[in-house]
Amino acid sequence: EFSYVLDNNKNDYYKSLFDELKKVLNNEEVNYEDYAKVISQMFISDLYTLSNKLSSSDVGGINFVYQDFQKDFLSIAKTTLYKSVKSNLYGERVQELPTVTEVKVDSVTKTTFKYGNTNFEEAYLVKVSITYEKDMGYDKECELVLVKKDKLLEIVKLG
């Protein structure tokens, strides 16, 4: 019903978040604030863990992004955060890249959101703090906006 899939290349932290997501979504009635928290953690963990990516087009977290925003999101990610992800001829990374070890949810605020011509009556502003295996100067705080589309929560804004 929610169609989330766990890929083999994910780290242990992401896998533990996936287990948490299963618990939240398997409840008889889904708590959307808890759902927003876990999706935010998974998205940030996957997006900012570059150590398991092989190229600048291997952008993490795209499956959590609102469909109409995915093309722009990929373009932005490839030219900013992912521009340094490179592999050699053998598919091995040629530089040290960050691994997220924890994403702490600092706050969740229920709100509304307008994306283009679409008004979402149920949206969540989520503020998070990011911890890495090694501090390499990447973002340590982030704000996301998730909207409820049918039963799914999808990310429409990252800042």
Side-chain angles (χ1 to χ4, degrees):
E1 175 173 33
F2 289 92
S3 69
Y4 294 111
V5 177
L6 181 61
D7 295 330
N8 292 335
N9 70 336
K10 303 301 183 204
N11 64 21
D12 289 341
Y13 176 64
Y14 186 91
K15 289 175 184 176
S16 71
L17 291 173
F18 189 84
D19 289 341
E20 184 65 29
L21 177 65
K22 286 194 298 188
K23 290 176 190 171
V24 168
L25 297 179
N26 283 332
N27 285 325
E28 197 170 304
E29 188 171 324
V30 174
N31 179 320
Y32 276 85
E33 188 171 307
D34 290 344
Y35 181 17
K37 288 177 185 178
V38 177
I39 287 294
S40 297
Q41 291 173 300
M42 292 176 73
F43 171 76
I44 293 296
S45 174
D46 198 17
L47 178 66
Y48 282 93
T49 295
L50 303 180
S51 59
N52 63 356
K53 310 303 189 289
L54 295 176
S55 73
S56 62
S57 62
D58 190 12
V59 176
I62 190 68
N63 53 319
F64 301 112
V65 175
Y66 181 60
Q67 184 71 37
D68 293 352
F69 180 50
Q70 284 185 2
K71 184 177 177 185
D72 289 341
F73 174 78
L74 282 171
S75 177
I76 293 164
K78 286 178 188 179
T79 59
T80 57
L81 184 61
Y82 280 71
K83 71 180 177 187
S84 63
V85 179
K86 295 179 178 32
S87 298
N88 64 19
L89 293 173
Y90 306 103
E92 300 163 334
R93 282 181 309 287
V94 295
Q95 77 281 50
E96 186 177 22
L97 295 168
T99 299
V100 173
T101 57
E102 182 182 17
V103 180
K104 180 180 171 244
V105 176
D106 298 320
S107 67
V108 178
T109 307
K110 192 171 179 183
T111 187
T112 59
F113 191 79
K114 182 174 181 170
Y115 185 88
N117 293 327
T118 306
N119 288 312
F120 292 95
E121 295 303 317
E122 190 171 343
Y124 297 89
L125 172 65
V126 181
K127 295 180 182 182
V128 300
S129 301
I130 309 166
T131 305
Y132 298 90
E133 197 171 86
K134 180 180 179 183
D135 186 353
M136 301 173 74
Y138 288 84
D139 293 338
K140 292 182 179 68
E141 295 178 318
C142 222
E143 285 187 4
L144 305 94
V145 176
L146 296 88
V147 295
K148 185 177 179 190
K149 183 180 170 199
D150 300 320
K151 290 184 176 186
L152 290 178
L153 290 181
E154 297 179 317
I155 292 151
V156 293
K157 185 176 178 186
L158 173 65

